[in-house]
Amino acid sequence: MKSRILLSSPHMSGNEQKYINEAFETNWIAPLGPNVNAFEKELADYVGTAGAAATSSGTAAIHLALELLGVGYGDTVFCSSLTFVASANPILYAGAEPVFIDSEEETWNMSPVALARAFEDAQERRELPKAVIVVNLYGQSAKMDELMSICERYEVPLIEDAAESLGSLYKGKKSGSFGHFGIYSFNGNKIITTSGGGMLVSNDLVALDQSRFLATQARDAAKHYQHSTLGYNYRMSNILAGVGRAQLEVLDERVQARRDVFDRYVQALGDIEGVRFMPELEGTYSNRWLTALTLDSEVIKITPYELIDLLEKENIEARPVWKPLHMQPLFEGCKFYPHAEGDVVGERLFAEGLCLPSGSNMTVEEQERVIGVLRKHVYRVAV
Ligand SMILES: *Cc1c(COP(=O)(O)O)cnc(C)c1O
């Protein structure tokens, strides 16, 4: 059996152990501690926000952002449809209702046209959302200028789900640093990992302090245990923050490695008619967390699912593009705004999309194995 090639596997730098040892030697085996404080400061410096708060997951960071914006029962929140379920689950945790917004072609991310329409509708019904969650898919920034100007017009705060886009740039500024809040994930498959963890970033230091309070069971300033608000146990452990510090040191190298992976795929497959790689919008720089492409079903007869099975036979992991959330049974009945009447971009990307193994530690030989399978089965059918 050939060795397994994973979609995106953890890639340690070797320095993680140093920070873990420090934590052990000082017996800081707790949620919170010097590694957490340092990791927060180092990450905020890297992305260019005033501060950061480390959390137990990216999902927890989104939940805290919604809490800080006062999202609660009966509120609505606009959210990208083409994304992982974790982008929207915290809306349900908060007792609010998601309204899903379609993608556009150039970034695969939230369509400003659809967002504008959703706002006009909401304005008419006097039901403006409490927040908008914009996702940066597979490392590609959404059209932040357009999206932010719409949100500003209605004075609705924006949360940037940058779980997949740490290290990416939009017009020279780090992805995730644009919204009122940004969130990152350090799950095992992300561009850098703490095995599990996340980060909430903002220029609002008061809000970040409040997030730390909420994330540690919302304990009031009293000698006894006193609580006036509902809190959570959402902080990051000092050991895992040590892993994160070492990972952050090599983030730019990881971005370069993933971009190299992407370039090799384009070189090897870009000449096949009907194969279209995820674009990179002018003025943006994607971390290319995953190499994603679409197979035009008009000219290429093999489907992404058939390819995923063929790759699996060679012990290679590939995945479809996220199934849009407006198509998920969990969110049945939720409102959805397509990019244009009769043109649901997210559904087409889902039907035709494929994510290829993209790990920064994948060798050129391993990538050749993936390319070999694809070149054998992906070709234009004569008409
Ligand atoms: C991974 C991911 C999350 C959630 O992060 P966790 O750390 O796994 O909770 C949220 N949104 C998107 C788009 C993701 O890819």
Side-chain angles (χ1 to χ4, degrees):
M1 191 62 165
K2 288 181 184 143
S3 65
R4 180 101 178 128
I5 302 176
L6 292 166
L7 191 72
S8 176
S9 74
H11 186 181
M12 294 296 109
S13 72
N15 248 345
E16 290 80 8
Q17 207 66 49
K18 181 184 89 184
Y19 294 107
I20 294 173
N21 288 349
E22 259 172 42
F24 272 74
E25 278 154 19
T26 54
N27 206 29
W28 269 105
I29 315 293
L32 304 182
N35 275 334
V36 174
N37 299 340
F39 188 33
E40 288 178 345
K41 180 166 188 325
E42 287 155 6
L43 187 116
D45 287 349
Y46 178 87
V47 301
T49 55
T55 55
S56 52
S57 71
T59 311
I62 298 172
H63 190 193
L64 290 170
L66 293 175
E67 289 276 315
L68 292 164
L69 294 172
V71 174
Y73 185 77
D75 291 330
T76 58
V77 174
F78 290 177
C79 182
S80 301
S81 177
L82 187 63
T83 182
F84 181 46
V85 70
S87 302
N89 272 344
I91 302 171
L92 299 186
Y93 302 165
E97 175 113 0
V99 171
F100 293 110
I101 314 291
D102 198 12
S103 297
E104 46 80 23
E105 286 285 345
E106 289 180 305
T107 66
W108 295 20
N109 289 310
M110 189 182 281
S111 155
V113 182
L115 180 68
R117 218 165 348 98
F119 263 113
E120 282 157 26
D121 255 20
Q123 174 91 315
E124 222 159 84
R125 280 182 287 105
R126 297 174 179 279
E127 275 177 12
L128 282 181
K130 266 279 173 69
V132 176
I133 300 175
V134 173
V135 181
N136 302 308
L137 216 59
Y138 305 130
Q140 172 59 53
S141 286
K143 293 185 171 175
M144 293 311 295
D145 281 350
E146 289 88 338
L147 297 171
M148 284 197 308
S149 89
I150 296 168
C151 290
E152 277 159 20
R153 196 179 319 146
Y154 293 93
E155 295 179 6
V156 172
L158 187 153
I159 300 168
E160 214 183 342
D161 179 348
E164 301 178 3
S165 65
L166 179 58
S168 302
L169 297 168
Y170 177 87
K171 300 191 177 173
K173 248 181 90 176
K174 288 287 190 323
S175 180
S177 67
F178 287 84
H180 196 88
F181 293 104
I183 76 95
Y184 298 103
S185 165
F186 309 112
N187 197 4
N189 61 357
K190 296 290 162 38
I191 193 152
I192 60 170
T193 181
T194 60
S195 81
M199 195 75 82
L200 180 67
V201 299
S202 181
N203 291 320
D204 184 343
L205 294 177
V206 176
L208 286 179
D209 266 343
Q210 182 68 7
S211 81
R212 293 184 185 96
F213 167 75
L214 291 174
T216 48
Q217 310 286 20
R219 188 174 165 191
D220 294 339
K223 279 223 171 58
H224 50 273
Y225 284 87
Q226 179 169 297
H227 306 270
S228 328
T229 26
L230 176 62
Y232 305 91
N233 184 2
Y234 274 174
R235 282 292 256 165
M236 182 183 277
S237 106
N238 192 52
I239 296 172
L240 299 189
V243 177
R245 294 182 70 188
Q247 287 271 289
L248 189 58
E249 290 168 359
V250 293
L251 173 57
D252 287 339
E253 286 168 44
R254 300 297 188 250
V255 171
Q256 190 56 53
R258 295 211 183 222
R259 288 182 63 88
D260 292 345
V261 166
F262 179 86
D263 289 345
R264 284 195 290 271
Y265 279 128
V266 172
Q267 282 248 309
L269 306 164
D271 63 324
I272 304 173
E273 199 186 333
V275 171
R276 191 161 172 270
F277 286 87
M278 184 176 186
E280 186 174 46
L281 185 71
E282 207 185 315
T284 68
Y285 180 85
S286 171
N287 69 15
R288 295 294 188 191
W289 172 55
L290 294 184
T291 292
L293 53 81
T294 53
L295 304 173
D296 183 345
S297 53
E298 298 278 305
V299 296
I300 290 175
K301 289 306 163 201
I302 195 161
T303 66
Y305 283 97
E306 289 165 336
L307 265 178
I308 288 168
D309 288 344
L310 288 165
L311 287 162
E312 192 56 54
K313 287 205 180 90
E314 298 293 322
N315 213 13
I316 296 166
E317 182 189 25
R319 294 275 176 90
V321 162
W322 299 125
K323 179 174 179 172
L325 298 185
H326 74 272
M327 298 169 78
Q328 299 284 357
L330 174 65
F331 297 111
E332 209 185 315
C334 290
K335 273 210 187 71
F336 169 67
Y337 288 86
H339 177 62
E341 216 56 67
D343 182 18
V344 185
V345 174
E347 288 184 17
R348 189 155 33 79
L349 292 172
F350 169 57
E352 300 189 336
L354 179 67
C355 295
L356 297 176
S358 309
S360 50
N361 49 0
M362 180 170 61
T363 64
V364 172
E365 291 70 33
E366 286 174 324
Q367 192 172 358
E368 288 301 329
R369 265 176 62 200
V370 182
I371 289 166
V373 177
L374 294 169
R375 283 228 66 112
K376 189 167 156 198
H377 297 287
V378 180
Y379 46 83
R380 184 192 204 288
V381 172
V383 281

